[in-house]
Amino acid sequence: MIYHELSVWTRGIIMDKEARDVANCIANAAAKVGFHSQMISDYVDDPDRTNCLVRKYARFSDEPIEFKFIYENPHPNWVVLVEETLVKAVNFFRGTADGSGVLVVNSAREPEYLLKFLPEYMLQKLSKLVAVDAVSLAEQQGSSPWMFVRDLGQLAYDRMSTEGANERSAVGIGIAAPLLGALTAATGVLELDVVADTVEERDAFYRGAENHRVLDYAETHKHMQEAAGSPVAGTPA
Amino acid sequence: MSVKGTKIPVELRLPLAGVTPAPTEQAGQELFPTGNFRFFRPVYRDKMPPCNHACPTGENIQRYLDYVKHERFFDGYMTIIDDNPMPAVTGRVCYHPCEGACNRKDHDEPIGIRNVERFLGDFGLELADNPIKDTVPPVNGKRVAVVGSGPGGLACAYHARRLGYRVTVFEALSKAGGMMRGGIPHWHLPEDVLNKEVAKIEDLGDIEMKYNTRVGEDVSWDDLKDFDAAFISVGQDVGRKLPIEGNDLRGVVGGLEFLREAGFNRPVKVGKKVLVIGGGNTASDTARSALRLGAEEVTIVSLEAPDELLIVPEDLEQAKEEGVQFKTNTACARILGNDGVVNGAVLCKARLEKDEGGNVAPQMEEGTEYEVDCDTVMISIGQVQHLDWVPEGLRDERGLIRTDPYGRIDGNIFAGGDIIRGPAMVVDALGDGKRAANNIDKVLNGLELVPESPVEVMPYERLNTAYFRHAPRIEAPVLPPKERVTDQKMEVTLAYDQEQAVGESDRCMSCGVCNGCDNCYIVCPDVSVVRDQRENGHYSIRTKYCKGCLVCVQECPTGCLEKVPELDFDEEGDVTRMETAFSVFDGSHATQSVPIAKMHEEAIAEYDASRRAKVDAGKGEK
């Protein structure tokens, strides 16, 4: 049985669409190759508050999905952080099986550096840590290098765009494309070309698929975990 | 303070819960009061203003302009004299590198920093007591020798004395001041101002001035080694000779020698038609002094083209107003005489060729020679110094003393001023003296001399210029040319009055330094900026409530607020997760880390104490 849950953590309004695109494209691509798939946007966290933590979910399986009507992912094993400081913010591995979590972080820093922000109980669940510098790999918009360097004028425009009222309708643009590339390449469950068909900015997608750094945590720390008596789980529940 | 890991309660870690509590839920608000919004954090971090950086003495210009703006002149004066012992002198004669670096020049016009400095310097001279005396510690028993009482020597003596050393100054002439007395004319720097500034330094006590003592004749190099340390700042006071025919005729004088005679109030005579040869500031001062001493026609003959003249623009303009004539791109081929007295000169067209090494060579054009009438020729083409008394290996071929990057020549012997850098500004020598005194202090305490750490200079682009209305520079009043050329002792540029000084200081943009403008306090939408005083106080960010919207950073007029990625807030060996992260102190004016809870506790304690005092007083009455 193949069953994967993707939780995308992002920040309200100013990075809302990027996270929605990541979840949408994975769910769409999985449906195209015959999986049962779902994508759910999140309204629990007050997503109309700028910079507030917001989640987007996708899940797909080769059998009908057991948790179809459960709103939030109970056992996420793929986690994407659209913004790097989320790595020290919350426990995004709640419910993840030990040693199965793939974490993709949009960051120009090395994965080894990001690792130190994870406490022990999250490291236990980590399988791979992927760092992708999506900001520089994305298609550059105008004079400002996309997302994190924006002036107040751009921010005001974002604030008007609450819940997609005023934004581009194309799916898979901006920093979402390289993030999707890195996620697809690092997990290896879906084929790159299949996901690429659902993404608007294909070049940025392939750039992300090629240029990311993977830290195989479960492999390198296996003996330590065994010594500690915590068995590495195989498949998710 | 930092706690590894989140503070998520145990009951919320149940696997089936599957989610972190949302900020809207009770449990979420216990985790972080306003939710986890922030990924950049505003931090107060003062940068180096460009004026401060450009000043060789490192005067804290932003700070004293801020004091003057609030009419706190005494605080402003005490700020200056930390770095510069003679603000009344530099306020008149400095070529103000600070104003050249001022960010305001990109906005409208640079701030008249020198004029404000002069205002503060005059303020200090008029104080009844010498406030510097209170800052001087008792002597520590070690002795420092200073050779030369020019700006470099006096600055070194002043700073060394403030560091606790007993100082002996050797001066070859009968009065202190060096080039400030013997090179700068009275109409630029009045004699009594210089005397008062020198007297204030001597007044500190334990500074012994030995006049009429020339090192090399009365005192030898080896005598200096009797002291714990020495500072050589003899300057360059011998005018260079012009190697042409007729340079030994009567009526040919060195410009510098002429200025020195005039500066020491000795009688000097000039002819009616004066030719000044040279294209620098000394030539300009010589020419303008000659005008005041009775010359009818003064002409500056320079190899430099009009735009290459090494004269400060305002001096050049004033010289032209006073009627000094210029013959640029011209050389003097020979000086003509009759019975050994000058009666004319032969000039020709020429230009100055510079090679890549910076050496200059005059190129005369053949066949362009012509004669002019004159009865005095003054030579101002540079200065040298006789250094026969300095050991052989320490001099270089240009007649300068060789030093390492810290101004040290040998062991505990340092040097500074014109003798290490060639003709330069008064303020350069003052800076060298300050540096030498600090380095002497380090060496005598057995510390290593290390290069200064690089600083971040605030560029104009990082200021929020929307907050600075355009305002013209307030120019210092200047006497009209016809009046001022009549007297050698009449000061040309006049001082700011109090209103002008305050107005000019008010134009300062306080580049990169918090000046307590309250803007961050006002614009913060989450009331996360707190201040400890009503006005001009210290600010801190309540990191529990700051959402990182960065409005304060965008709107900070001075640019002292910066955004710093949250991931940069780590501590050695331990991870600080966001909800437990706290800020570090940085910056001199605004503090970052005053915990708001502590401020409350202090306020409550203070209130309690006052209540208790009242109750106790009531008991006493009964």
Side-chain angles (χ1 to χ4, degrees), chain B residues 293-479:
Chain B
L293 290 168
E296 283 167 4
E297 193 182 315
V298 179
T299 309
I300 289 182
V301 176
S302 74
L303 291 165
E304 289 91 349
D307 56 338
E308 288 174 347
L309 284 174
L310 300 170
I311 304 175
V312 177
E314 64 222 34
D315 280 5
L316 183 61
E317 196 182 317
Q318 287 179 1
K320 283 178 178 167
E321 283 172 3
E322 289 168 12
V324 176
Q325 291 170 20
F326 286 83
K327 282 191 194 301
T328 48
N329 273 343
T330 304
C332 182
R334 58 185 179 276
I335 301 168
L336 305 173
N338 187 14
D339 289 344
V341 181
V342 172
N343 68 355
V346 176
L347 307 182
C348 69
K349 280 195 173 173
R351 66 201 149 81
L352 207 54
E353 292 229 327
K354 283 183 187 167
D355 65 9
E356 285 175 4
N359 297 322
V360 290
Q363 296 290 324
M364 302 197 187
E365 286 179 34
E366 297 282 326
T368 58
E369 284 141 18
Y370 58 98
E371 276 186 30
V372 291
D373 282 349
C374 64
D375 45 20
T376 307
V377 178
M378 295 186 178
I379 318 283
S380 303
I381 57 163
Q383 296 109 269
V384 290
Q385 177 62 280
H386 300 306
L387 288 176
D388 311 332
W389 51 278
V390 177
E392 194 64 47
L394 304 176
R395 298 174 256 159
D396 68 3
E397 63 282 358
R398 287 163 60 208
L400 301 177
I401 291 182
R402 230 181 268 139
T403 64
D404 68 0
Y406 311 109
R408 178 160 58 175
I409 39 181
D410 184 24
N412 291 349
I413 301 185
F414 289 75
D418 285 359
I419 198 63
I420 67 165
R421 55 173 85 231
M425 299 183 284
V426 168
V427 71
D428 281 322
L430 288 168
D432 285 348
K434 178 188 166 192
R435 178 182 69 173
N438 290 334
N439 285 347
I440 284 172
D441 187 45
K442 277 187 195 166
V443 168
L444 292 185
N445 286 320
L447 299 175
E448 283 278 307
L449 297 182
V450 287
E452 281 177 29
S453 48
V455 292
E456 187 182 0
V457 181
M458 186 71 183
Y460 176 69
E461 291 71 30
R462 284 177 67 180
L463 293 165
N464 191 341
T465 49
Y467 284 94
F468 301 106
R469 69 195 157 84
H470 292 272
R473 175 186 167 114
I474 301 172
E475 293 294 348
V478 178
L479 280 185

Side-chain angles (χ1 to χ4, degrees), chain A residues 9 11 14-15 44-46 49-53 55 57 72-74 83-85 87-91 94-95 109 113-114 116-122 148-152 155 159, chain B residues 4-6 8 12-25 32 34 36-40 547-549 551 554-555 563 565-570 575-579 581:
Chain A
W9 287 80
R11 294 200 173 268
I14 65 164
M15 299 173 209
V44 170
D45 299 329
D46 265 11
R49 298 170 74 185
T50 306
N51 282 354
C52 176
L53 292 196
R55 287 159 286 181
Y57 306 110
E72 295 167 348
N73 273 348
E83 188 274 308
E84 64 178 0
T85 50
V87 78
K88 74 194 265 193
V90 285
N91 182 0
R94 178 109 17 93
R109 300 170 202 257
Y113 179 84
L114 298 170
K116 68 177 179 181
F117 295 100
L118 301 181
E120 207 54 51
Y121 56 85
M122 288 169 76
F148 300 108
V149 195
R150 27 178 82 201
D151 55 26
L152 279 186
L155 205 57
R159 282 180 176 149
Chain B
K4 191 171 184 184
T6 58
I8 296 174
L12 291 169
R13 293 191 198 157
L14 291 173
L16 240 182
V19 284
T20 312
T24 45
E25 298 168 25
F32 0 92
T34 55
N36 197 340
F37 283 84
R38 188 177 63 239
F39 55 110
F40 283 116
K547 289 201 301 182
C549 69
V551 170
Q554 292 273 353
E555 294 300 309
K563 63 173 183 184
E566 275 293 339
L567 282 197
D568 286 350
F569 286 92
D570 310 321
V575 174
T576 310
R577 287 180 68 77
M578 194 183 279
E579 57 274 13

Side-chain angles (χ1 to χ4, degrees), chain A residues 91-93 97-101 103 111-112 114-129 215 217-218 221 224-225 230, chain B residues 4 575:
Chain A
N91 182 0
F92 39 78
F93 277 153
D98 281 358
S100 71
L103 177 64
E112 288 77 11
L114 298 170
L115 202 61
K116 68 177 179 181
F117 295 100
L118 301 181
E120 207 54 51
Y121 56 85
M122 288 169 76
L123 286 176
Q124 198 184 333
K125 318 218 164 181
L126 183 66
S127 148
K128 275 183 198 171
L129 203 162
L215 175 76
Y217 184 80
H221 293 73
M224 289 169 63
Q225 289 181 351
S230 164
Chain B
K4 191 171 184 184
V575 174

Side-chain angles (χ1 to χ4, degrees), chain B residues 473-520:
Chain B
R473 175 186 167 114
I474 301 172
E475 293 294 348
V478 178
L479 280 185
K482 274 189 185 163
E483 192 179 332
R484 71 194 186 216
V485 292
T486 56
D487 191 351
Q488 168 78 358
K489 307 222 169 196
M490 193 180 283
E491 213 175 344
V492 172
T493 310
L494 304 180
Y496 274 164
D497 60 21
Q498 179 172 328
E499 193 184 336
Q500 286 172 315
V502 172
E504 188 63 10
S505 305
D506 202 15
R507 294 176 67 231
C508 176
M509 302 197 284
S510 187
C511 307
V513 181
C514 180
N515 62 352
C517 70
D518 264 10
N519 204 48
C520 49

Side-chain angles (χ1 to χ4, degrees), chain B residues 584-596:
Chain B
V584 292
F585 169 82
D586 219 335
S588 66
H589 194 91
T591 48
Q592 178 74 15
S593 61
V594 181
I596 186 71

